[in-house]
Amino acid sequence: MRMVSKKQLSDMGLFDAKVPRYTSYPTAPHFNPAISEGNFRSWIKAVPENGQISLYIHVPFCRRLCWFCACRTQGTTKDAPVRAYLQVLKDELALLKGTLPAGVTLSRLHWGGGTPTLLAPDMMTELAQTIADVAPFAPGYEFSVEIDPNEVDAARLDALAAAGMNRASIGVQDFDEGIQQTIGRLQSFEITRDAVDMLRARGITSVNADILFGLPHQTNARITDSVQKLLALAPDRVALYGYAHVPWMAKRQQMIPSDALPTPQERLELFETARKLFTWDGYEEIGIDHFATKEDGLSRALKAGTLRRNFQGYTDDTSNVLIGLGASSISRFPQGYAQNAPATSAHAKAIAEGRFSTAKGHAFSAEDKLRSRLIEMLMCDFAIDAEEILANFAIKPEALQQMFADANSAFQGLLQVSETGLRVPSDMQQLTRLIARSFDAYDLSKAGHSSAI
């Protein structure tokens, strides 16, 4: 049985390359200001009547700013700016209601941040009711909320459950106290366990958890301990993300000592240690960094060939419209991407003037759509189905085969290429983001991406 060696992985760039996570194509650094509020409005109006959409609500506030985080957030100890922002969201939702065609319903609703659970219970109820007035839930909907165990209580969970939340996402990162102090995120196992218990007591049967590898001072023994504690909470879905150390983009990461970070080779060992623990416990591997129980929607989507990838990572949502509201949120339409103004002040000013805050985006070309699907197939299935591509895109068989051949030559001829498509062997799946880069037509030197492992 052939096994790719660490030297081969190194020779192919795994330990040195910086590549996108490919939660979009093209990636956000390639968005441009040519996409305006007019594009955004016209794309919303093009949603079919009685169709389904996904909706993302961004809450960019935290009670404390974790040093490891690269998200666009701002700290606040008071409710006043949060209540002011809630009013902006309500006004933005009113704009959306006036633009959406009739009869549109929500297949997915996600509240992210930031820390959505810093909203007071009455704010949660107010926001949920405003959303329901714009677009009610579709049958089989999923309403998920990012939960900070340090910033949640029974009253807030009661409000979320009453609003229809049926999936919760909990950030764990790592349970080791020393690592938590280094990354500025103190969160004990006991607090996390209590939050999960409160969720399940309220009928929230689906719980996600995020955990990081590649953190400072992280060792195989420490990540083993953290994963075993996480497994004791029996999450339905786990995202095992690699910590992206990008202090030139996220200034707060300068608080983290770079000399305490594991080497790329050590990062791979940390990932493999955690991966084995999840699979030994019966979790299905989903794409490059997710794990799910066999009953979870991601596992079912993987088997059915309907797994997709978007800004939240892997999803089983089949809606082709994702509308993002709130500062910095990104929307995806069949026509392209649109991103709101990143600063809360600029975003609020636009909404107050009766317009969406679209600041930039990207309109898809035919080639974008082709390459996006090629990359998504690789990221979801580790394979590209030539028959599907030829049936849905204007590309000749010989041109597609040439793309496969070019990718294969960049990886020592070790990919499996045939007339039916391209497949990434199991011992090369750590290279998937690098392989996806072979199908990326954009200049990657313009953005600072994260480590390939």
Side-chain angles (χ1 to χ4, degrees), residues 8-21:
Q8 287 176 298
L9 293 174
S10 178
D11 290 345
M12 289 183 275
L14 179 64
F15 300 135
D16 302 313
K18 305 289 185 182
V19 288
R21 294 187 186 274

Side-chain angles (χ1 to χ4, degrees), residues 277-336:
L277 290 168
F278 287 123
T279 56
W280 286 344
D281 216 57
Y283 285 77
E284 299 273 3
E285 293 187 67
I286 308 294
I288 63 169
D289 54 16
H290 279 52
F291 302 84
T293 62
K294 291 178 173 60
E295 299 77 25
D296 186 82
L298 289 187
S299 296
R300 295 195 300 270
L302 180 64
K303 290 180 175 62
T306 57
L307 186 67
R308 294 292 180 263
R309 190 160 170 85
N310 65 17
F311 296 106
Q312 280 85 54
Y314 290 103
T315 180
D316 55 351
D317 183 19
T318 56
S319 174
N320 63 2
V321 174
L322 168 64
I323 296 178
L325 300 185
S328 80
S329 285
I330 300 175
S331 300
R332 186 193 191 282
F333 299 88
Q335 300 90 337

Side-chain angles (χ1 to χ4, degrees), residues 44-241:
I44 293 173
K45 290 179 179 178
V47 173
E49 285 192 5
N50 302 311
Q52 290 188 6
I53 64 170
S54 295
L55 185 63
Y56 171 76
I57 304 291
H58 187 63
V59 180
F61 296 97
C62 295
R63 293 300 184 203
R64 68 196 186 292
L65 295 178
C66 304
W67 303 336
F68 74 90
C69 181
C71 298
R72 287 199 66 94
T73 58
Q74 57 195 80
T76 181
T77 58
K78 300 177 181 178
D79 277 352
V82 182
R83 288 192 179 275
Y85 183 78
L86 174 60
Q87 185 58 54
V88 173
L89 283 177
K90 290 172 63 180
D91 292 342
E92 190 177 11
L93 283 159
L95 285 175
L96 179 62
K97 181 180 180 180
T99 311
L100 270 176
V104 171
T105 56
L106 296 182
S107 62
R108 295 289 189 278
L109 172 61
H110 183 77
W111 294 6
T115 307
T117 50
L118 61 63
L119 295 172
D122 66 298
M123 293 191 227
M124 292 175 169
T125 301
E126 199 174 338
L127 178 57
Q129 289 174 345
T130 305
I131 293 169
D133 186 51
V134 174
F137 288 128
Y141 78 92
E142 185 175 286
F143 173 18
S144 58
V145 178
E146 293 177 15
I147 306 287
D148 180 353
N150 289 310
E151 191 63 45
V152 76
D153 53 27
R156 283 179 278 189
L157 290 180
D158 286 342
L160 289 172
M165 179 181 71
N166 53 15
R167 180 178 288 279
S169 182
I170 292 183
V172 170
Q173 322 322 335
D174 194 287
F175 283 123
D176 184 272
E177 184 177 349
I179 293 175
Q180 289 181 359
Q181 289 175 340
T182 304
I183 65 174
R185 168 74 172 222
L186 292 176
Q187 178 182 314
S188 70
F189 170 75
E190 290 75 19
I191 286 174
T192 309
R193 178 199 60 206
D194 291 347
V196 172
D197 288 346
M198 286 194 294
L199 286 163
R200 299 217 186 269
R202 285 159 178 78
I204 310 303
T205 56
S206 297
V207 177
N208 306 356
D210 296 347
I211 190 168
L212 294 177
F213 70 92
L215 290 170
H217 304 301
Q218 207 172 38
T219 63
N220 286 335
R222 284 174 172 163
I223 201 169
T224 294
D225 183 63
S226 287
V227 170
Q228 288 177 333
K229 286 177 177 174
L230 178 57
L231 288 170
L233 303 179
D236 303 88
R237 187 182 299 178
V238 177
L240 175 62
Y241 292 130

Side-chain angles (χ1 to χ4, degrees), residues 269-280:
E269 291 177 7
L270 290 166
F271 173 82
E272 285 297 324
T273 296
R275 184 189 70 82
K276 288 175 183 176
L277 290 168
F278 287 123
T279 56
W280 286 344

